[in-house]
């Protein structure tokens, strides 16, 4: 028996099966993360020993999942997987063993493996320092290019080779995406995991480049397993029934997703589109299961009303802008009558933001309008608390209520003026405006559902994709100015 086989056998004996339902390889962690179930993570405390301290120790503390001996054996196995002396076939076999063992391990022991991968597979600091010095000395000389290459090679960590070793296995990509998804909730509490997370994001950005992705239409005739995933992953407007999903895949609708060849039955992101003759102002008719299909011969507008990412493990990897561009091209080819492309989008951060900024916005409101707000709220002079309390009953406001206009003003301010680090505060606005869209129109009671009222007092917004102005709008945003339609600009508060 060789050393590697002996280590594998010993670690297998030491690692217990997790107390959870067995799932296919690589999926247990992701399912637990998505459903909120699964074993709880061992809490990081101030007395927690570092990974290196544990590797050098003899005894395990009660809060530690792996004993020092187990930790050393696992580290040896990880290193053996990328041993330069072994063949690719043998390296793949060793990686396969680790995947199987990881799948059976508890979340706490998986965390130990994350820490090993994050902390013990770093680039050699001395080699990096030396290469950096040589590169700095070579700048401006004929040796600059060669020195740069050496510096780049020195900064590549063995961790990257380890991830590549896993990725070549048939189930390797799925395993790594699920591993990173399971790791996400732990990042804020344990900064030691950041190196592994950032390395994985970098690798995924390469492996999931849009050039490798396939755009596919998802229809009612698609396999049932694929349609079920729409129900599972829909993140904007929950799908309530099979009749609901059938309505979203009707003749006047289109649904497209990006697929990766290594995950052929798993949409990475998908968009739902309604083809109609106007810019939609409410989500209710679009989700009406009993409504007749629109006449495609009269459709001039394509309304993107839901975009959902499906893989938390691919957080930070951008697909959305490319998806929308590809879908616009596909729709334009299929339906030459289509001339306008717009979203009907939620404003998920509005209510929380207004709760934090209502007093500031009230101060920006002219005195005459403040008096009108006070009379409408039943308290003069009004305070932010009184206005917010009245807005809790926003659905009952009269069309001429000054509170209604004030809320629209606040929403216009939120979408068109509120930036952090040069980017819109609202996550949906950040996505569409970053793609070159324009804030076109606010829609009162666009989403009267409980979720819509909770997020944005029922308001929805149209972002217009004017294909001739996308680059200009993006450049404008880079300069700190959001592209908005005239009606939105008129609603925004003026500095007095």
């Amino acid at each position: 028996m060789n050393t590697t086989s002996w280590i594998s056998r010993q670690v297998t004996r030491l690692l217990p099966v997790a107390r959870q339902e067995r799932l296919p390889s690589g999926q247990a962690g992701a399912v637990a993360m998505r459903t909120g179930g699964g074993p709880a993570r061992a809490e990081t405390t101030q007395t927690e020993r570092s990974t290196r301290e544990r590797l050098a120790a003899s005894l395990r503390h009660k809060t530690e999942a792996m004993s020092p001996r187990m930790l050393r054996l696992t580290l040896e196995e990880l290193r053996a997987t990328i041993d330069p002396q072994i063949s690719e076939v043998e390296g793949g076999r060793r990686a396969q063993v680790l995947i199987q063992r990881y799948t059976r391990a508890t979340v706490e022991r998986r965390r130990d493996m994350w820490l090993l991968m994050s902390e013990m597979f770093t680039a050699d600091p001395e080699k990096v320092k030396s290469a950096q010095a040589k590169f700095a000395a070579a700048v401006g000389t004929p040796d600059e290019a060669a020195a740069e290459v050496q510096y780049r090679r020195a900064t590549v960590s063995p961790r990257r080779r380890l991830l590549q070793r896993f990725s070549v296995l048939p189930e390797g990509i799925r395993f790594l995406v699920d591993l990173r998804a399971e790791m996400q909730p732990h990042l804020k509490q344990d900064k030691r995991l950041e190196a592994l997370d950032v390395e994985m994001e970098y690798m995924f950005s390469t492996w999931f480049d849009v050039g490798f992705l396939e755009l596919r239409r998802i229809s009612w005739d698609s396999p049932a397993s694929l349609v079920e995933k729409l129900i599972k992953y829909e993140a904007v407007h929950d799908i309530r029934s099979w009749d609901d999903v059938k309505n979203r895949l009707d003749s006047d609708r289109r649904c497209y997703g990006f697929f990766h060849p290594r995950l052929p039955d798993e949409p990475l992101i998908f968009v739902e589109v309604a083809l109609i003759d106007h810019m939609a102002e409410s989500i209710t008719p679009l989700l009406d299961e009993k409504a007749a299909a629109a006449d495609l011969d009269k459709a001039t507008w394509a309304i993107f009303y839901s975009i959902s990412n499906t893989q938390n493990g691919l957080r930070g990897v951008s697909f959305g802008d490319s998806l929308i561009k590809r879908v616009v091209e596909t729709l334009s080819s299929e339906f030459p009558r289509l001339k306008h492309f717009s979203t009907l989008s939620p404003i998920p951060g509005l209510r929380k933001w207004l709760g934090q900024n209502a007093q500031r916005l009230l101060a920006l409101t002219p005195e005459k309008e403040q008096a009108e707000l006070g009379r409408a709220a039943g308290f003069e002079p009004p305070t932010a608390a009184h206005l917010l309390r009245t807005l809790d009953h926003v659905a009952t406001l009269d069309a001429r209520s000054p509170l209604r206009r004030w809320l629209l003003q606040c929403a216009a301010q939120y979408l068109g003026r509120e930036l952090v680090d040069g980017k819109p505060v609202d996550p949906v606005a950040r996505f569409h405006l970053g793609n070159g869209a324009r804030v076109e129109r606010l829609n009162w009671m666009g989403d009267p559902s409980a979720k819509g009222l909770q997020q944005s007092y029922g308001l929805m917004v149209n972002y217009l994709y004017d294909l001739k102005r996308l680059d200009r709008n993006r450049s404008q945003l880079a300069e700190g100015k959001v592209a908005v339609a005239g009606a939105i600009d008129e609603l925004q508060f003026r500095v007095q």
Side-chain angles (χ1 to χ4, degrees):
M1 179 182 298
N2 60 35
T3 302
T4 302
S5 299
W6 182 87
I7 292 173
S8 177
R9 180 178 176 184
Q10 299 310 310
V11 175
T12 300
R13 291 175 176 175
L14 291 168
L15 286 175
V17 175
R19 295 178 183 176
Q20 60 184 11
E21 182 181 355
R22 289 291 301 279
L23 293 170
S25 176
Q27 294 183 14
V31 172
M33 185 279 303
R34 286 195 293 264
T35 61
R41 162 202 177 304
E43 293 296 326
T44 302
T45 65
Q46 292 183 348
T47 58
E48 184 176 17
R49 294 190 295 185
S50 70
T51 305
R52 287 180 172 81
E53 288 175 329
R54 291 174 59 193
L55 286 167
S58 300
L59 300 177
R60 169 175 53 184
H61 285 179
K62 289 183 178 180
T63 57
E64 295 171 352
M66 288 188 190
S67 68
R69 179 167 174 260
M70 291 172 60
L71 206 62
R72 289 191 291 268
L73 288 171
T74 304
L75 176 58
E76 186 61 32
E77 279 216 322
L78 287 167
R79 286 173 171 167
T81 302
I82 56 173
D83 186 339
Q85 303 301 317
I86 65 173
S87 67
E88 292 290 326
V89 173
E90 175 59 18
R93 187 195 67 77
R94 295 181 184 185
Q96 181 72 61
V97 171
L98 283 168
I99 288 178
Q100 293 170 352
R101 189 164 303 125
Y102 178 93
T103 304
R104 297 195 300 268
T106 62
V107 172
E108 292 79 8
R109 295 188 178 188
R110 292 179 185 182
R111 175 173 168 261
D112 277 345
M113 189 170 177
W114 304 338
L115 288 171
L116 289 173
M117 295 171 68
S118 191
E119 294 188 283
M120 306 309 296
F121 288 83
T122 60
D124 186 323
E126 292 302 321
K127 290 183 178 179
V128 172
K129 184 177 179 180
S130 174
Q132 184 179 32
K134 291 178 180 178
F135 174 56
V139 172
T141 73
D143 297 326
E144 179 178 349
E148 180 185 357
V149 170
Q150 292 303 314
Y151 175 58
R152 289 180 180 274
R153 288 176 177 172
T155 58
V156 175
S157 70
R159 188 187 307 112
R160 188 174 303 179
R161 178 60 178 151
L162 185 61
L163 296 175
Q164 291 171 333
R165 185 70 85 186
F166 285 121
S167 72
V168 299
L169 298 172
E171 74 278 31
I173 293 291
R174 175 79 274 169
F175 165 72
L176 291 173
V177 170
D178 287 347
L179 184 153
R180 184 167 183 252
E182 187 178 19
M183 192 171 65
Q184 292 302 299
H186 303 266
L187 292 172
K188 287 186 178 180
Q189 293 85 2
D190 197 338
K191 299 299 184 183
R192 296 175 296 174
L193 298 172
E194 286 187 1
L196 175 58
D197 181 67
V198 171
E199 190 89 72
M200 296 185 83
E201 181 181 334
Y202 171 79
M203 299 297 285
F204 289 165
S205 296
T206 300
W207 296 340
F208 289 88
D209 183 86
V210 293
F212 300 130
L213 304 182
E214 177 189 4
L215 180 70
R216 283 161 47 187
R217 180 184 170 189
I218 304 171
S219 71
W220 187 246
D221 295 325
S222 297
S225 59
L226 183 53
V227 176
E228 287 174 350
K229 285 175 180 169
L230 295 187
I231 301 174
K232 176 181 178 180
Y233 291 126
E234 167 61 47
V236 183
H237 304 290
D238 293 341
I239 297 177
R240 303 178 296 271
S241 64
W242 280 102
D243 286 337
D244 188 357
V245 73
K246 187 175 183 179
N247 172 59
R248 302 188 194 203
L249 300 176
D250 209 344
S251 60
D252 61 337
R253 305 296 177 88
R254 290 295 183 270
C255 180
Y256 296 94
F258 266 150
F259 293 79
H260 190 275
R262 296 291 293 277
L263 301 172
D265 301 318
E266 193 83 12
L268 306 178
I269 184 174
F270 61 87
V271 59
E272 298 168 52
V273 190
L275 306 177
I276 54 180
D277 60 1
H278 62 282
M279 184 166 63
E281 61 185 9
S282 172
I283 195 62
T284 302
L286 297 185
L287 301 182
D288 185 357
E289 301 164 15
K290 298 180 180 179
D295 186 349
L296 288 178
D297 290 334
K298 297 181 180 179
T300 54
W301 285 81
I303 307 297
F304 301 88
Y305 64 93
S306 180
I307 301 177
S308 299
N309 285 292
T310 70
Q311 306 298 311
N312 284 328
L314 295 178
R315 180 171 303 195
V317 181
S318 178
F319 306 117
D321 55 343
S322 297
L323 175 67
I324 289 178
K325 291 174 186 175
R326 293 276 297 277
V327 170
V328 167
E329 292 171 359
T330 301
L331 290 173
S332 298
S333 176
E334 184 178 359
F335 302 101
R337 289 176 178 268
L338 290 178
K339 301 300 180 184
H340 310 288
F341 301 89
S342 166
T343 76
L344 180 61
S345 299
I347 316 174
L350 177 61
R351 188 176 187 125
K352 180 179 179 181
W353 173 83
L354 184 55
Q356 298 169 342
N357 293 273
Q359 190 61 51
R360 173 171 65 90
L361 297 173
L362 182 58
L364 293 175
T365 305
E367 290 185 6
K368 180 181 178 181
E369 294 177 20
Q370 286 189 34
E372 294 174 349
L373 289 172
R375 288 191 290 273
F379 193 93
E380 297 183 69
T383 67
H386 291 110
L387 298 184
L388 293 174
R389 199 156 45 236
T390 305
L391 288 177
D392 282 338
H393 308 284
V394 65
T396 65
L397 292 179
D398 183 84
R400 294 172 294 178
S401 170
L403 278 166
R404 177 168 172 161
R405 175 174 173 78
W406 188 74
L407 179 57
L408 289 171
Q409 286 180 294
C410 293
Q413 184 80 12
Y414 175 65
L415 296 174
R417 293 273 180 83
E418 296 297 308
L419 304 175
V420 174
D421 297 328
K423 297 180 180 180
V425 174
D426 188 79
V428 177
R430 189 159 57 244
F431 173 79
H432 290 297
L433 297 175
N435 290 340
R438 180 177 74 189
V439 184
E440 189 68 12
R441 185 178 70 184
L442 285 165
N443 301 292
W444 186 262
M445 284 295 111
D447 183 3
S449 70
K451 182 179 180 181
L453 292 171
Q454 181 61 37
Q455 288 186 335
S456 60
Y457 300 99
L459 295 183
M460 296 192 79
V461 58
N462 300 114
Y463 295 103
L464 181 68
Y465 278 84
D466 183 340
L467 304 184
K468 296 180 180 179
R469 298 182 62 92
L470 297 182
D471 289 338
R472 187 185 307 177
N473 291 342
R474 271 194 295 264
S475 298
Q476 185 174 312
L477 182 61
E479 297 172 358
K481 184 174 176 58
V482 174
V484 300
I488 301 296
D489 183 60
E490 290 177 4
L491 281 171
Q492 292 172 340
F493 292 103
R494 307 299 173 190
V495 178
Q496 300 179 28

